[in-house]
C-alpha cells in the first residue's frame, strides 16, 4: 500500500512538474518583451543599457531551466507574483476569491448528490415510478441545456419575478442558493445516469442474484452487497467531475456576478493581467493533481482484488 | 429510401436557410427599428441594435456547428493515429502514450481555454486550440482500447500469419471495425463542444462581436428578458435543439452499426 501511494505520488508529482513547466513557458508566449513591458508599467525612460541591466537583474539571461527552477521555488514559498493592475500579491487576491468559489462548488456538489443518489437509486430499482421519470427528465436537462440557461431561467423565476433570492452578488447564504441549484442540476444529470447504469450492472451480477435467493433482506442487500460494488465507478467519476466543476463555476460566476475565482479570471483576461492567470493555472494544476491522487488511492482501497499479483485473473 | 428522403430534406433546409440569410444582412444595424416584433421583413424581429434576429441565428448556427465539427475532426484524427500506433502498430509507445493521456485528460478544458484567451487574446482561435489540446486525449484512449480488443481477433491474427505488415493490417483489418464506435462518440461530442463554445461566447471569451453566436446572443438579450424574451428564447431554442439532434444522431448511429 505504501509503495502504491509512493509510486502514484511520484507519477502525479511528475505530471505536476510538466504542467507547471508549460504554464511557466506560456507566459513566454505573450507577445512582446516582458522587460519592456515592466518598464512601460513603471513609466520610466527606456534606454538600451537600462534594458540590459534589468534583463540581467531579473534573470532573463539565465538558461530556461534555471529560470524555471527559480520560478518554481518561489511558487513553493507561495509567492505567485503581483497583479499587474492592482499591485496586490496574487495569493492575496486568490484567498478571498477561492473561498467564494469553493462555497459555490460545495453547494453545487451538495445539490447534485442530494438529487442524484436517491433519484439514481430509485430509477434503477423502480424503473416505472414517477421518480424514475423525473430522473430521466433531469438527466436530459443536465446534458442538453447549457448551465447558463438553467441559471438564467432560475434567476428570472425566483429572483426577478418572485424575489425570493437576490439576483446577483455574494452576501449571505441566500445569494448562494440559485447558483448552487443551477450547478447542482447541471452536474447532477450526469451523476443520475451513472448511478443508475452502475446499479443495474451490479444488480445483474451472479453474487447479488445468489444473495437474493438466499433470502437476504432488500435493505441489507442494497447497503452490503450492491452499494459497495457500485462505489468505485462513482468515485472515479467524482474525481473527473471536480475538474469540470472548476470549469463550470466560471460561467455561473459571470452570470450571477459572483465574486469567485472564475469571475476574477475572466476580468483578468480582459485586463491582460498575466501573473494572476499564471497563478490560476498553477493553482488549478495543484488542485486537480491532488484530487486525482486521492481518487487513485481510494480506488485502490476499494478494489484490492484488481491489484493483487498472486491471483490469476 | 428513408435515407434519401433524409438527405433531400436536409439539403432543402440548407437551401432555404441560405436564401433567408442572403436576403437580410445579419450585421446591418438600424437603431430606429430596435427591439421590433416579428414582421414580414424581419421574421423573428430585431435585437437591441435593430439587427435581424433570424439571419443572425442562422449565421451563428453555421459558425458554432462549423467550429465544433472542425474541433471534433482534428481531435478524432489525432486520437485515431495515436491510439492505433500505441495499441497495435508500435506497442513500445504504449506506456508513454497512456501515461500522457492519463495526465492530460484530468485537466479542465475551460481553465486552459481561459488562460489561452488571456495569453493569445480572446478569440475563436484560442478557444479551438484550448478545446483541441484537451479533447484529443479521450479519442486516443477510446481508440487505444478498441484497437487492443480488435487486434486479438482471429482475422487480424490470420492477416499477420499471412505476412501482412502491421500498418497495412491496421488500415485494412483493424480500423474499419473500430470506426463505427468512433463515429458514435464523435456525433455525441459534437453537441458537447457546441455547449462549450456557446458557454464561452456567453461570458465573452469565445466568438467575438460583431460575429453572432448563440451563447453571445443570449448574453446580449438577457438584459431585455422582461420586455423582449424572444431575444433569449430563440438562441436558447437553437442550442437545445442542436444538442438533442446530436444525441439523436448518436443513438441512430449506434443502432445502425449495432455497436
Amino acid at each position: 500500500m505504501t509503495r502504491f501511494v509512493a509510486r502514484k505520488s511520484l507519477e502525479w508529482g511528475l505530471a505536476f512538474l510538466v504542467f507547471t513547466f508549460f504554464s511557466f513557458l506560456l507566459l513566454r508566449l505573450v507577445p512582446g518583451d516582458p522587460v519592456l513591458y515592466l518598464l512601460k508599467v513603471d513609466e520610466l525612460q527606456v534606454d538600451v543599457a537600462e534594458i540590459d541591466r534589468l534583463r540581467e537583474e531579473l534573470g532573463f539571461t539565465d538558461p530556461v531551466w534555471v529560470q524555471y527552477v527559480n520560478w518554481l521555488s518561489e511558487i513553493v514559498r507561495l509567492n505567485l507574483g503581483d497583479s499587474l493592475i492592482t499591485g496586490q500579491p496574487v495569493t492575496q487576491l486568490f484567498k478571498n476569491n477561492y473561498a467564494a468559489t469553493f462555497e459555490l462548488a460545495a453547494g453545487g456538489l451538495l445539490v447534485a448528490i442530494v438529487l442524484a443518489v436517491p433519484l439514481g437509486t430509485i430509477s434503477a430499482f423502480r424503473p416505472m415510478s414517477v421518480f424514475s421519470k423525473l430522473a430521466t427528465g433531469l438527466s436530459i436537462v443536465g446534458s442538453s441545456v447549457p448551465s447558463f440557461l438553467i441559471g438564467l431561467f432560475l434567476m428570472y423565476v425566483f429572483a426577478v419575478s418572485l424575489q425570493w433570492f437576490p439576483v446577483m452578488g455574494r452576501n449571505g447564504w441566500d445569494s448562494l442558493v440559485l447558483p448552487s441549484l443551477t450547478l447542482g442540476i447541471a452536474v447532477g444529470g450526469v451523476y443520475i445516469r451513472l448511478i443508475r447504469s452502475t446499479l443495474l450492472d451490479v444488480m445483474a451480477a451472479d453474487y447479488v442474484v445468489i444473495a437474493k435467493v438466499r433470502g437476504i433482506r432488500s435493505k441489507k442487500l442494497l447497503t452490503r452487497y450492491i452499494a459497495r460494488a457500485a462505489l468505485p465507478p462513482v468515485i472515479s467519476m467524482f474525481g473527473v467531475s471536480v475538474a469540470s466543476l472548476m470549469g463550470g463555476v466560471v460561467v455561473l460566476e459571470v452570470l450571477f456576478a459572483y465574486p469567485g475565482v472564475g469571475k476574477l479570471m475572466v476580468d483578468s483576461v480582459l485586463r491582460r493581467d498575466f501573473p494572476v492567470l499564471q497563478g490560476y493555472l498553477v493553482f488549478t494544476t495543484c488542485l486537480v493533481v491532488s484530487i486525482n491522487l486521492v481518487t487513485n488511492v481510494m480506488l485502490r482501497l476499494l478494489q484490492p482484488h484488481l491489484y493483487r499479483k498472486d491471483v490469476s485473473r | 429510401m428513408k435515407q434519401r428522403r433524409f438527405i433531400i430534406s436536409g439539403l432543402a433546409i440548407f437551401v432555404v436557410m441560405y436564401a433567408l440569410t442572403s436576403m437580410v444582412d445579419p450585421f446591418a444595424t438600424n437603431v430606429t427599428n430596435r427591439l421590433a416584433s416579428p414582421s414580414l421583413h424581419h421574421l423573428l424581429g430585431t435585437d437591441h441594435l435593430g439587427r435581424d434576429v433570424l439571419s443572425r441565428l442562422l449565421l451563428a448556427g453555421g459558425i458554432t456547428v462549423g467550429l465544433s465539427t472542425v474541433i471534433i475532426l482534428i481531435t478524432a484524427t489525432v486520437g485515431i493515429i495515436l491510439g492505433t500506433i500505441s495499441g497495435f502498430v508500435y506497442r513500445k509507445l504504449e506506456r508513454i502514450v497512456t501515461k500522457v493521456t492519463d495526465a492530460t485528460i484530468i485537466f479542465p478544458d475551460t481553465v486552459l481555454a481561459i488562460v489561452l484567451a488571456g495569453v493569445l487574446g480572446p478569440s475563436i482561435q484560442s478557444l479551438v486550440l484550448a478545446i483541441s489540446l484537451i479533447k484529443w486525449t479521450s479519442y486516443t484512449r477510446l481508440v487505444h482500447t478498441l484497437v487492443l480488443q480488435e487486434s486479438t481477433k482471429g482475422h487480424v491474427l490470420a492477416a499477420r500469419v499471412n505476412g501482412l505488415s502491421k500498418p497495412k493490417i491496421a488500415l485494412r483489418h483493424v480500423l474499419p471495425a473500430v470506426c463505427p464506435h468512433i463515429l458514435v462518440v464523435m456525433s455525441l461530442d459534437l453537441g458537447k463542444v457546441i455547449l462549450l463554445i456557446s458557454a464561452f461566447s456567453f461570458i465573452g471569451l469565445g466568438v467575438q462581436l460583431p460575429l453572432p453566436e448563440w451563447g453571445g446572443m443570449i448574453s446580449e438579450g438577457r438584459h431585455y428578458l422582461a420586455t423582449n424574451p424572444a431575444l433569449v428564447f430563440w438562441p436558447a431554442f437553437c442550442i437545445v435543439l442542436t444538442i438533442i439532434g446530436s444525441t439523436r444522431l448518436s443513438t441512430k448511429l449506434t443502432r445502425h452499426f449495432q455497436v
Side-chain angles (χ1 to χ4, degrees), chain B residues 99-194:
Chain B
K99 288 281 171 209
V100 172
T101 1
D102 284 351
T104 318
I105 210 164
I106 60 158
F107 205 82
D109 43 8
T110 28
V111 172
L112 187 68
I114 290 175
V115 175
L116 278 186
V119 173
L120 307 173
S123 67
I124 302 175
Q125 289 92 320
S126 47
L127 185 58
V128 171
L129 185 64
I131 301 176
S132 309
L133 276 177
I134 305 288
K135 197 85 206 159
W136 66 271
T137 51
S138 56
Y139 283 103
T140 307
R141 193 182 259 188
L142 175 78
V143 175
H144 179 83
T145 329
L146 291 171
V147 164
L148 272 184
Q149 280 170 11
E150 197 62 28
S151 59
T152 56
K153 288 192 179 158
H155 66 280
V156 178
L157 288 178
R160 293 204 62 181
V161 172
N162 276 321
L164 229 62
S165 70
K166 272 192 161 183
K168 248 183 197 156
I169 301 176
L171 278 178
R172 299 243 182 97
H173 301 281
V174 180
L175 279 179
V178 168
C179 267
H181 294 264
I182 306 171
L183 272 179
V184 168
V185 176
M186 278 168 81
S187 59
L188 203 61
D189 273 347
L190 199 67
K192 286 188 191 161
V193 174
I194 288 175

Side-chain angles (χ1 to χ4, degrees), chain A residues 270-289:
Chain A
L270 300 177
R271 293 189 297 218
R272 320 219 81 193
D273 199 344
F274 302 120
V276 180
L277 287 169
Q278 194 178 37
Y280 178 53
L281 202 56
V282 172
F283 204 93
T284 314
T285 311
C286 275
L287 195 73
V288 170
V289 163

Side-chain angles (χ1 to χ4, degrees), chain A residues 54-275:
Chain A
L54 194 64
R55 189 164 282 152
E56 188 91 15
E57 194 180 294
L58 293 171
F60 281 118
T61 45
D62 294 338
V64 175
W65 67 272
V66 175
Q67 290 184 40
Y68 171 65
V69 170
N70 290 335
W71 177 80
L72 198 64
S73 66
E74 286 297 311
I75 283 180
V76 173
R77 276 178 262 146
L78 283 180
N79 177 12
L80 293 169
D82 300 333
S83 158
L84 289 181
I85 309 296
T86 60
Q88 275 177 291
V90 172
T91 32
Q92 194 75 39
L93 277 172
F94 277 0
K95 216 187 265 170
N96 298 321
N97 287 282
Y98 262 109
T101 296
F102 282 142
E103 270 175 29
L104 177 55
L109 213 53
L110 190 73
V111 173
I113 291 171
V114 167
L115 278 177
V117 172
L119 282 178
T121 316
I122 291 173
S123 62
F125 282 93
R126 302 258 181 281
M128 285 310 172
S129 68
V130 184
F131 288 107
S132 168
K133 293 200 174 99
L134 184 70
T136 314
L138 217 83
S139 64
I140 290 176
V141 168
S143 63
S144 57
V145 180
S147 60
F148 58 88
L149 269 179
I150 303 175
L152 207 56
F153 176 75
L154 291 178
M155 186 197 257
Y156 190 67
V157 174
F158 292 107
V160 178
S161 300
L162 297 171
Q163 303 201 327
W164 288 355
F165 301 105
V167 179
M168 40 183 60
R170 178 192 183 221
N171 33 31
W173 65 272
D174 53 347
S175 60
L176 206 63
V177 173
L178 289 182
S180 312
L181 208 57
T182 314
L183 194 61
I185 292 174
V187 180
V190 185
Y191 283 3
I192 290 178
R193 243 175 308 155
L194 180 81
I195 291 176
R196 175 165 49 195
S197 65
T198 315
L199 282 179
L200 286 176
D201 281 352
V202 176
M203 269 155 61
D206 287 344
Y207 75 93
V208 177
V209 177
I210 301 270
K212 236 188 241 172
V213 172
R214 276 167 57 208
I216 289 172
R217 276 181 299 119
S218 56
K219 200 172 171 188
K220 197 175 171 191
L221 193 71
L222 179 64
T223 50
R224 292 274 181 80
Y225 288 76
I226 298 176
R228 200 189 146 149
L231 215 50
V234 177
I235 284 181
S236 60
M237 178 74 204
F238 189 80
V240 175
S241 75
V242 167
S244 64
L245 214 61
M246 290 317 287
V249 288
V250 176
V251 177
L252 295 182
E253 282 175 3
V254 173
L255 173 65
F256 287 98
Y258 188 83
V261 115
K263 182 90 177 52
L264 176 69
M265 284 316 125
V266 175
D267 293 344
S268 304
V269 168
L270 300 177
R271 293 189 297 218
R272 320 219 81 193
D273 199 344
F274 302 120

